[in-house]
Amino acid sequence: MKSQFPRFIEIIHDPLDIGKRQWPLDIISGTFLMGDIFATSKAWNRLIHADVMRALFRHALGDWDECDPEALEGNQAALTWGGRIETEFQDKNGSRFIIQTKRETQVTTILLPEES
């Protein structure tokens, strides 16, 4: 049984709606500011929430060892110059998901690969 979503993740039904909504809590790590955190409803309904939370912390701490070399290089460049930081993870059921942080807008989104 899935738990209720954490208070600091807002579930969105339309990924284009992200810029129109605000959530008051920011997560700050030693690596970068994640900003407001959103999850698409499709991703949130499919994924194991505890695995998503672990992946969020790994994403925030720069634990990107599962990224391919090109994505890793892009993430490192985004830390220096700005841009999008993107990581991909898998939950215990084998469902893959993406976490994207857009540094310019300070928004982090959890979504499925087919939604990106």
Side-chain angles (χ1 to χ4, degrees), residues 31-82:
T31 308
F32 60 93
L33 178 67
M34 290 179 60
D36 297 329
I37 301 173
F38 298 90
T40 64
S41 57
K42 189 174 181 181
W44 197 252
N45 289 331
R46 182 181 303 173
L47 300 171
I48 297 172
H49 299 165
D51 293 342
V52 172
M53 298 306 296
R54 278 190 286 283
L56 274 171
F57 286 109
R58 289 182 61 197
H59 176 82
L61 294 172
D63 180 2
W64 306 326
D65 59 348
E66 291 180 26
C67 290
D68 62 55
E70 186 176 309
L72 183 59
E73 187 176 306
N75 288 347
Q76 294 296 343
L79 284 176
T80 303
W81 307 106

Coordinates of all heavy atoms in Angstrom, one line a residue, residues 31-82:
T31 N 25.1 20.6 -2.7 CA 25.4 20.6 -4.1 C 24.7 21.7 -4.9 O 25.3 22.5 -5.6 CB 25.1 19.3 -4.8 OG1 25.7 18.2 -4.0 CG2 25.6 19.2 -6.2
F32 N 23.4 21.8 -4.7 CA 22.6 22.9 -5.4 C 21.3 23.0 -4.8 O 20.8 22.2 -4.0 CB 22.5 22.6 -6.9 CG 21.8 21.2 -7.2 CD1 20.4 21.2 -7.4 CD2 22.5 20.1 -7.2 CE1 19.8 20.0 -7.6 CE2 21.9 18.9 -7.5 CZ 20.5 18.8 -7.7
L33 N 20.6 24.1 -5.1 CA 19.2 24.4 -4.6 C 18.2 23.7 -5.5 O 18.2 23.9 -6.7 CB 19.0 25.9 -4.6 CG 17.6 26.3 -4.2 CD1 17.4 26.0 -2.7 CD2 17.4 27.8 -4.4
M34 N 17.4 22.8 -4.9 CA 16.5 22.0 -5.7 C 15.2 22.8 -5.9 O 14.5 22.6 -6.9 CB 16.1 20.7 -5.0 CG 17.3 19.7 -5.1 SD 16.9 18.2 -4.3 CE 15.5 17.5 -5.2
G35 N 14.9 23.8 -5.1 CA 13.7 24.6 -5.3 C 12.4 23.9 -4.9 O 12.4 22.9 -4.1
D36 N 11.3 24.3 -5.6 CA 10.1 23.6 -5.4 C 10.1 22.2 -6.0 O 10.7 22.1 -7.1 CB 8.9 24.5 -6.0 CG 8.8 25.8 -5.3 OD1 9.1 25.9 -4.1 OD2 8.4 26.8 -6.0
I37 N 9.5 21.3 -5.4 CA 9.5 19.9 -5.9 C 8.1 19.5 -6.3 O 7.1 19.6 -5.5 CB 10.0 18.9 -4.8 CG1 11.4 19.3 -4.4 CG2 10.0 17.5 -5.3 CD1 12.0 18.5 -3.2
F38 N 8.0 19.0 -7.5 CA 6.7 18.5 -8.1 C 6.9 17.1 -8.6 O 8.0 16.7 -8.9 CB 6.3 19.4 -9.3 CG 6.1 20.9 -8.9 CD1 7.1 21.8 -9.0 CD2 4.8 21.3 -8.5 CE1 6.9 23.1 -8.7 CE2 4.6 22.6 -8.2 CZ 5.6 23.5 -8.3
A39 N 5.7 16.4 -8.6 CA 5.7 15.1 -9.3 C 4.5 15.0 -10.2 O 3.4 15.5 -9.8 CB 5.6 14.0 -8.2
T40 N 4.6 14.4 -11.3 CA 3.4 14.3 -12.2 C 2.6 13.2 -11.5 O 3.1 12.3 -10.8 CB 3.8 13.8 -13.6 OG1 4.4 12.5 -13.5 CG2 4.7 14.8 -14.3
S41 N 1.3 13.3 -11.7 CA 0.4 12.4 -11.0 C 0.6 11.0 -11.6 O 0.5 10.0 -10.8 CB -1.1 12.8 -11.2 OG -1.4 12.9 -12.6
K42 N 0.9 10.8 -12.8 CA 1.2 9.5 -13.4 C 2.4 8.9 -12.7 O 2.4 7.7 -12.4 CB 1.5 9.7 -14.9 CG 1.5 8.4 -15.7 CD 1.6 8.7 -17.2 CE 1.7 7.4 -18.0 NZ 1.8 7.6 -19.4
A43 N 3.5 9.7 -12.5 CA 4.7 9.1 -11.9 C 4.4 8.8 -10.4 O 4.7 7.7 -9.9 CB 5.8 10.1 -11.9
W44 N 3.7 9.7 -9.7 CA 3.5 9.4 -8.3 C 2.6 8.2 -8.1 O 2.7 7.5 -7.1 CB 2.9 10.7 -7.7 CG 3.0 10.6 -6.2 CD1 1.9 10.4 -5.3 CD2 4.1 10.7 -5.4 NE1 2.4 10.4 -4.0 CE2 3.8 10.6 -4.0 CE3 5.5 10.9 -5.7 CZ2 4.7 10.7 -3.0 CZ3 6.4 11.0 -4.7 CH2 6.0 10.9 -3.3
N45 N 1.6 8.0 -9.0 CA 0.7 6.8 -8.8 C 1.4 5.5 -9.1 O 1.0 4.5 -8.7 CB -0.5 7.0 -9.7 CG -1.4 8.1 -9.1 OD1 -1.5 8.4 -7.9 ND2 -2.2 8.7 -10.0
R46 N 2.5 5.5 -10.0 CA 3.1 4.3 -10.4 C 4.3 3.9 -9.5 O 4.6 2.8 -9.3 CB 3.7 4.5 -11.8 CG 4.3 3.2 -12.3 CD 4.9 3.3 -13.7 NE 3.8 3.6 -14.6 CZ 4.1 3.9 -15.9 NH1 5.3 3.8 -16.4 NH2 3.1 4.2 -16.7
L47 N 5.0 4.9 -8.9 CA 6.3 4.7 -8.2 C 6.1 4.4 -6.7 O 5.1 4.8 -6.1 CB 7.2 5.9 -8.4 CG 7.5 6.3 -9.8 CD1 8.2 7.6 -9.9 CD2 8.3 5.2 -10.5
I48 N 7.1 3.7 -6.2 CA 7.2 3.4 -4.8 C 7.7 4.7 -4.1 O 8.9 5.1 -4.4 CB 8.1 2.2 -4.5 CG1 7.5 1.0 -5.1 CG2 8.3 2.0 -3.0 CD1 8.5 -0.2 -5.0
H49 N 7.0 5.3 -3.2 CA 7.3 6.6 -2.7 C 8.6 6.6 -1.9 O 9.4 7.6 -2.0 CB 6.1 7.1 -1.8 CG 4.9 7.3 -2.6 ND1 3.7 7.4 -2.0 CD2 4.7 7.3 -4.0 CE1 2.7 7.5 -3.0 NE2 3.3 7.4 -4.1
A50 N 8.9 5.6 -1.2 CA 10.2 5.6 -0.4 C 11.4 5.6 -1.3 O 12.4 6.2 -1.1 CB 10.2 4.3 0.5
D51 N 11.2 4.9 -2.5 CA 12.3 4.9 -3.5 C 12.5 6.3 -4.1 O 13.6 6.7 -4.4 CB 12.1 3.8 -4.6 CG 12.1 2.4 -4.0 OD1 12.7 2.2 -2.9 OD2 11.6 1.5 -4.6
V52 N 11.4 7.0 -4.3 CA 11.4 8.3 -4.9 C 12.1 9.3 -3.9 O 13.0 10.1 -4.3 CB 10.0 8.9 -5.2 CG1 10.0 10.4 -5.5 CG2 9.4 8.1 -6.3
M53 N 11.8 9.1 -2.6 CA 12.5 10.0 -1.6 C 14.0 9.7 -1.5 O 14.8 10.7 -1.5 CB 11.8 9.7 -0.2 CG 10.4 10.1 -0.1 SD 10.0 11.7 -0.7 CE 10.9 12.7 0.6
R54 N 14.4 8.4 -1.6 CA 15.8 8.1 -1.6 C 16.5 8.7 -2.8 O 17.6 9.3 -2.8 CB 16.0 6.6 -1.6 CG 16.0 6.0 -0.2 CD 16.4 4.6 -0.1 NE 15.5 3.7 -0.7 CZ 14.4 3.2 -0.1 NH1 14.1 3.7 1.2 NH2 13.5 2.4 -0.6
A55 N 15.8 8.6 -4.0 CA 16.3 9.2 -5.2 C 16.5 10.7 -5.1 O 17.4 11.3 -5.7 CB 15.5 8.7 -6.4
L56 N 15.5 11.3 -4.5 CA 15.6 12.8 -4.4 C 16.8 13.2 -3.6 O 17.5 14.2 -4.0 CB 14.3 13.4 -3.7 CG 13.1 13.7 -4.5 CD1 11.9 14.0 -3.7 CD2 13.4 14.8 -5.5
F57 N 17.1 12.5 -2.5 CA 18.3 12.8 -1.7 C 19.6 12.5 -2.5 O 20.5 13.3 -2.5 CB 18.3 12.1 -0.4 CG 17.3 12.7 0.6 CD1 16.1 12.0 0.9 CD2 17.5 13.9 1.1 CE1 15.2 12.5 1.8 CE2 16.6 14.5 2.0 CZ 15.4 13.8 2.3
R58 N 19.6 11.4 -3.3 CA 20.8 11.1 -4.1 C 21.0 12.2 -5.2 O 22.1 12.7 -5.4 CB 20.6 9.8 -4.7 CG 20.7 8.6 -3.7 CD 20.7 7.3 -4.4 NE 21.7 7.1 -5.4 CZ 21.7 6.2 -6.3 NH1 20.7 5.4 -6.4 NH2 22.7 6.1 -7.2
H59 N 19.9 12.6 -5.8 CA 19.9 13.7 -6.8 C 20.5 15.0 -6.2 O 21.4 15.6 -6.8 CB 18.5 13.9 -7.3 CG 18.3 15.0 -8.3 ND1 18.6 14.8 -9.7 CD2 17.9 16.2 -8.2 CE1 18.4 16.0 -10.3 NE2 17.9 16.8 -9.4
A60 N 20.0 15.3 -5.0 CA 20.4 16.6 -4.4 C 21.9 16.5 -4.0 O 22.5 17.6 -4.0 CB 19.5 16.9 -3.2
L61 N 22.3 15.4 -3.6 CA 23.7 15.3 -3.1 C 24.7 15.0 -4.2 O 25.9 14.9 -4.0 CB 23.8 14.1 -2.1 CG 23.1 14.4 -0.8 CD1 23.1 13.2 0.1 CD2 23.7 15.6 -0.1
G62 N 24.2 15.0 -5.5 CA 25.1 14.8 -6.6 C 25.6 13.3 -6.8 O 26.6 13.1 -7.4
D63 N 24.8 12.4 -6.2 CA 25.1 11.0 -6.4 C 24.5 10.5 -7.7 O 23.4 10.0 -7.8 CB 24.5 10.2 -5.2 CG 24.8 8.7 -5.3 OD1 25.4 8.2 -6.2 OD2 24.3 8.0 -4.4
W64 N 25.2 10.7 -8.8 CA 24.7 10.5 -10.1 C 25.4 9.3 -10.8 O 25.5 9.3 -12.1 CB 24.9 11.8 -11.0 CG 24.2 13.0 -10.4 CD1 23.1 13.0 -9.6 CD2 24.7 14.3 -10.4 NE1 22.9 14.3 -9.2 CE2 23.8 15.1 -9.7 CE3 25.8 14.9 -11.1 CZ2 24.0 16.5 -9.6 CZ3 25.9 16.3 -11.0 CH2 25.0 17.1 -10.2
D65 N 25.9 8.4 -10.1 CA 26.7 7.3 -10.7 C 25.9 6.4 -11.6 O 26.5 5.7 -12.4 CB 27.4 6.5 -9.6 CG 26.5 5.8 -8.6 OD1 25.3 6.2 -8.6 OD2 26.9 5.0 -7.8
E66 N 24.6 6.5 -11.6 CA 23.8 5.7 -12.5 C 23.6 6.4 -13.8 O 23.0 5.8 -14.8 CB 22.5 5.3 -11.9 CG 22.6 4.4 -10.7 CD 21.3 4.0 -10.1 OE1 20.2 4.1 -10.8 OE2 21.2 3.6 -8.9
C67 N 24.0 7.6 -13.9 CA 23.9 8.4 -15.2 C 24.9 7.9 -16.2 O 26.0 7.5 -15.9 CB 24.2 9.9 -15.0 SG 22.9 10.7 -14.0
D68 N 24.5 8.0 -17.5 CA 25.5 7.7 -18.5 C 26.5 8.8 -18.6 O 26.3 9.9 -18.1 CB 24.8 7.5 -19.9 CG 24.1 8.7 -20.4 OD1 24.7 9.8 -20.5 OD2 22.9 8.6 -20.7
P69 N 27.7 8.6 -19.2 CA 28.7 9.6 -19.1 C 28.3 11.0 -19.7 O 28.7 12.0 -19.2 CB 29.9 9.0 -20.0 CG 29.6 7.5 -19.8 CD 28.1 7.3 -19.8
E70 N 27.5 11.0 -20.7 CA 27.1 12.2 -21.4 C 26.2 13.0 -20.4 O 26.3 14.2 -20.2 CB 26.3 11.9 -22.7 CG 25.9 13.2 -23.4 CD 25.3 12.8 -24.7 OE1 25.9 12.0 -25.5 OE2 24.2 13.4 -25.0
A71 N 25.2 12.3 -19.7 CA 24.4 13.0 -18.7 C 25.2 13.5 -17.6 O 24.9 14.6 -17.1 CB 23.3 12.0 -18.3
L72 N 26.1 12.7 -17.1 CA 27.0 13.1 -16.0 C 27.8 14.4 -16.4 O 27.8 15.3 -15.6 CB 27.9 12.0 -15.6 CG 28.9 12.2 -14.4 CD1 28.1 12.5 -13.2 CD2 29.8 11.0 -14.2
E73 N 28.3 14.4 -17.6 CA 29.0 15.6 -18.0 C 28.1 16.8 -18.1 O 28.4 17.9 -17.7 CB 29.6 15.3 -19.4 CG 30.5 16.4 -19.9 CD 31.2 16.1 -21.2 OE1 31.8 15.0 -21.3 OE2 31.0 16.8 -22.2
G74 N 26.9 16.6 -18.6 CA 25.9 17.7 -18.6 C 25.5 18.2 -17.3 O 25.3 19.4 -17.1
N75 N 25.3 17.3 -16.3 CA 25.0 17.7 -14.9 C 26.2 18.5 -14.3 O 25.9 19.5 -13.6 CB 24.7 16.5 -14.1 CG 23.4 15.9 -14.4 OD1 22.6 16.4 -15.1 ND2 23.2 14.7 -13.9
Q76 N 27.4 18.1 -14.6 CA 28.5 18.8 -14.0 C 28.6 20.2 -14.6 O 28.9 21.2 -13.9 CB 29.8 18.1 -14.3 CG 29.9 16.8 -13.5 CD 30.0 16.9 -12.0 OE1 30.2 18.0 -11.5 NE2 29.7 15.8 -11.3
A77 N 28.3 20.3 -15.9 CA 28.3 21.6 -16.6 C 27.2 22.5 -16.0 O 27.4 23.7 -15.8 CB 28.2 21.5 -18.1
A78 N 26.0 21.9 -15.8 CA 24.9 22.7 -15.2 C 25.2 23.2 -13.8 O 24.7 24.3 -13.5 CB 23.6 21.8 -15.2
L79 N 26.0 22.5 -13.1 CA 26.4 23.0 -11.7 C 27.2 24.3 -11.9 O 27.1 25.2 -11.1 CB 27.2 22.0 -11.0 CG 26.4 20.8 -10.3 CD1 27.3 19.8 -9.7 CD2 25.3 21.4 -9.3
T80 N 28.1 24.3 -12.9 CA 29.0 25.4 -13.1 C 28.3 26.6 -13.8 O 28.4 27.7 -13.4 CB 30.2 25.0 -13.9 OG1 30.8 23.9 -13.2 CG2 31.2 26.1 -14.1
W81 N 27.6 26.3 -14.9 CA 27.1 27.3 -15.8 C 25.6 27.5 -15.7 O 25.0 28.5 -16.3 CB 27.4 27.0 -17.2 CG 28.9 26.7 -17.4 CD1 29.5 25.5 -17.6 CD2 30.0 27.7 -17.3 NE1 30.9 25.7 -17.6 CE2 31.2 27.0 -17.5 CE3 30.0 29.0 -17.1 CZ2 32.4 27.6 -17.5 CZ3 31.2 29.7 -17.1 CH2 32.4 29.0 -17.3
G82 N 24.9 26.7 -15.0 CA 23.4 26.8 -15.0 C 22.8 25.8 -16.0 O 23.5 25.3 -16.8

